[in-house]
Amino acid sequence: APCGGHHHHDDCDHSSPAPAGQSSLGNEFSLYLKIDTDRLQCLNESVDGSGKSVFKSWDDRLSRDKFVDSDDDDQELLFNIPSVEHIVLGADSFKINYYHRRR
């Protein structure tokens, strides 16, 4: 059941299945295909290379098995996300899920 509003927590799923015939639209318009993953950088990640793993294809977008944690010294993650071609991003181009993990 929808829980309404804009908020951040783990006990609610705001995803809904795509209408019939539209499942491929996510892949067609995915920013994931435009990211130059070879040059992508994440600063302050606790495990080298883990920042690259959180950028997922449309089909894997709901998976939570890959994540990036920040260093204990500096908890701010900084991403440099180069693209393979010129793109223009709008305000709702990204979906970012923040899950606080206890250490």
Side-chain angles (χ1 to χ4, degrees):
C3 56
H6 177 79
H7 51 274
H8 305 275
H9 55 83
D10 293 333
D11 59 349
C12 181
D13 183 9
H14 292 278
S15 63
S16 59
Q22 291 187 6
S23 62
S24 66
L25 286 177
N27 283 323
E28 186 177 336
F29 295 105
S30 174
L31 283 174
Y32 177 74
L33 301 174
K34 309 295 184 197
I35 296 173
D36 185 347
T37 53
D38 290 336
R39 295 185 355 202
L40 188 140
Q41 297 174 316
C42 179
L43 302 178
N44 303 328
E45 59 191 344
S46 61
V47 176
D48 285 341
S50 61
K52 290 182 180 187
S53 71
V54 300
F55 293 89
K56 304 171 191 166
S57 68
W58 177 259
D59 294 334
D60 293 331
R61 71 191 182 283
L62 300 177
S63 172
R64 293 186 183 177
D65 62 336
K66 296 180 182 176
F67 57 89
V68 58
D69 277 330
S70 60
D71 285 335
D72 289 330
D73 298 340
D74 190 347
Q75 296 183 358
E76 184 175 77
L77 292 168
L78 302 171
F79 286 92
N80 176 20
I81 309 169
S83 62
V84 294
E85 62 186 61
H86 180 76
I87 56 175
V88 177
L89 300 177
D92 22 337
S93 296
F94 292 94
K95 177 182 178 188
I96 299 173
N97 292 319
Y98 171 77
Y99 303 102
H100 181 71
R101 294 175 8 104
R102 293 188 181 115
R103 294 180 183 200

